[in-house]
Amino acid sequence: MRGGSLVLVTGLGEDSGKTSLTTGLLASFRSLGVEAIGFKPAGATNVWLHPEVLVDSSRRGFLVTWDSLKIHRASGEDLDLRILNPVAGFSLPPYTATRGPAGFLLLLAGNLALVRISECLTRGLSTIHLIVDGILDAAPKGVREAVEEAASRLRPPPFKVKPGFIAEVLGQPASKAADTCLESLLGKEGLVVAESNSDVAAPTLGVLERSRVVLVSGWGRVYLYSGEVWRRAVEASMIGGVPWSVKTGEILELARPERVVDLKLTPHGELDPDDGGALAEAVLTILEKSV
């Protein structure tokens, strides 16, 4: 009954607890005997805040992000990380006035430097890396050299592109690529827990259409919605047919949640096991009702 079911975790803003909620839910589902795997359709990491992703990307030979590494570990690390996180980027602090693209990633503040896009095709996984031409020129020498060293180890090697091209790619093309990997995951048994990016109501059209339960993380408070209610509210608010144009807060003003849960404040921000168990049970209840 729960095979191929998608649960979406989104948030009211940056650092609202999406990743902690996602990884905590994965652990809670597994403790209940429910197979569950994480999915991060798109995301980016500021390499100044998390330089460890440069080391990990160099070792793996493809770009990885901080959030996706945490979700990968919580999922058991069996799945190819490029499938779990098909669209990934490195951003830099705002060394110049250049603004990042306003595509569906809605990336972290700062400048987007490197992007990986992976697509799950019938013939196998296809991956490309892109590097924004000239983006590193204004960066401090140490940062520039570290990013260039990591980029030199990526396979396939990055193509140099203009910022305008990145903005185009990070719209519908990257969203559709991410959805090919979503379909691959939904073809297997168990739950897929997808984490959105920033305060985006849904990161891709496929995630919006396939989500059966939605959890909104709001700095210690979680709002639970049925996927159908969430989808209708987002569709009513979309601009240009893209769900990433809608902010999560807008939907909270339009639709009433099925349940609101206040979480315990923990020392390191992880989801308390008791809270996680209660949320997992609530999600399973909504899933049963939606059948």
Side-chain angles (χ1 to χ4, degrees):
M1 183 180 299
R2 292 187 289 267
S5 295
L6 179 63
V7 176
L8 171 62
V9 174
T10 186
L12 290 176
E14 290 291 346
D15 299 320
S16 59
K18 295 186 301 294
T19 302
S20 294
L21 179 56
T22 299
T23 56
L25 274 175
L26 289 169
S28 296
F29 283 131
R30 293 188 171 204
S31 70
L32 294 172
V34 178
E35 287 295 323
I37 195 165
F39 182 55
K40 179 78 175 180
T45 294
N46 187 310
V47 297
W48 177 254
L49 297 178
H50 294 287
E52 62 270 25
V53 297
L54 296 174
V55 176
D56 213 300
S57 296
S58 296
R59 180 175 63 83
R60 295 173 185 269
F62 58 86
L63 192 156
V64 298
T65 64
W66 185 76
D67 284 352
S68 68
L69 286 171
K70 295 186 69 174
I71 295 172
H72 191 232
R73 285 193 291 270
S75 299
E77 300 187 285
D78 295 326
L79 181 69
D80 190 316
L81 207 153
R82 290 167 292 184
I83 299 175
L84 182 148
N85 176 214
V87 182
F90 286 164
S91 65
L92 299 173
Y95 295 119
T96 70
T98 305
R99 296 186 62 186
F104 93 105
L105 273 180
L106 295 176
L107 295 169
L108 300 175
N111 301 316
L112 189 64
L114 269 166
V115 170
R116 172 182 55 79
I117 301 175
S118 297
E119 190 172 9
C120 296
L121 306 173
T122 54
R123 65 175 184 273
L125 189 65
S126 174
T127 293
I128 61 169
H129 289 100
L130 307 173
I131 187 167
V132 179
D133 192 22
I135 194 67
L136 295 172
D137 293 349
K141 181 181 178 182
V143 174
R144 182 174 67 252
E145 290 179 347
V147 175
E148 288 175 342
E149 171 63 20
S152 71
R153 297 178 181 273
L154 300 180
R155 295 293 179 270
F159 291 101
K160 284 188 177 181
V161 297
K162 299 297 183 183
F165 181 77
I166 285 284
E168 293 179 9
V169 170
L170 292 182
Q172 293 283 7
S175 173
K176 290 179 179 178
D179 280 341
T180 64
C181 293
L182 172 63
E183 291 302 318
S184 173
L185 293 177
L186 289 176
K188 303 175 182 179
E189 287 297 318
L191 297 178
V192 177
V193 182
E195 180 186 326
S196 190
N197 44 290
S198 188
D199 58 348
V200 173
T204 73
L205 193 58
V207 170
L208 176 65
E209 293 174 344
R210 300 296 296 273
S211 293
R212 292 178 59 191
V213 182
V214 178
L215 296 92
V216 179
S217 182
W219 303 285
R221 180 165 290 159
V222 178
Y223 306 82
L224 290 92
Y225 288 83
S226 74
E228 182 179 3
V229 168
W230 191 261
R231 176 180 54 79
R232 289 178 177 176
V234 173
E235 288 177 345
S237 306
M238 287 194 307
I239 300 174
V242 293
W244 54 89
S245 65
V246 183
K247 301 293 186 181
T248 299
E250 298 175 39
I251 305 306
L252 261 65
E253 296 178 358
L254 293 176
R256 176 177 296 179
E258 293 207 8
R259 186 172 175 184
V260 179
V261 177
D262 285 351
L263 306 179
K264 299 180 184 69
L265 183 62
T266 58
H268 302 289
E270 298 95 345
L271 183 64
D272 178 84
D274 290 339
D275 287 341
L279 284 172
E281 292 282 6
V283 168
L284 296 177
T285 298
I286 296 175
L287 285 172
E288 296 290 348
K289 288 167 55 179
S290 68
V291 174

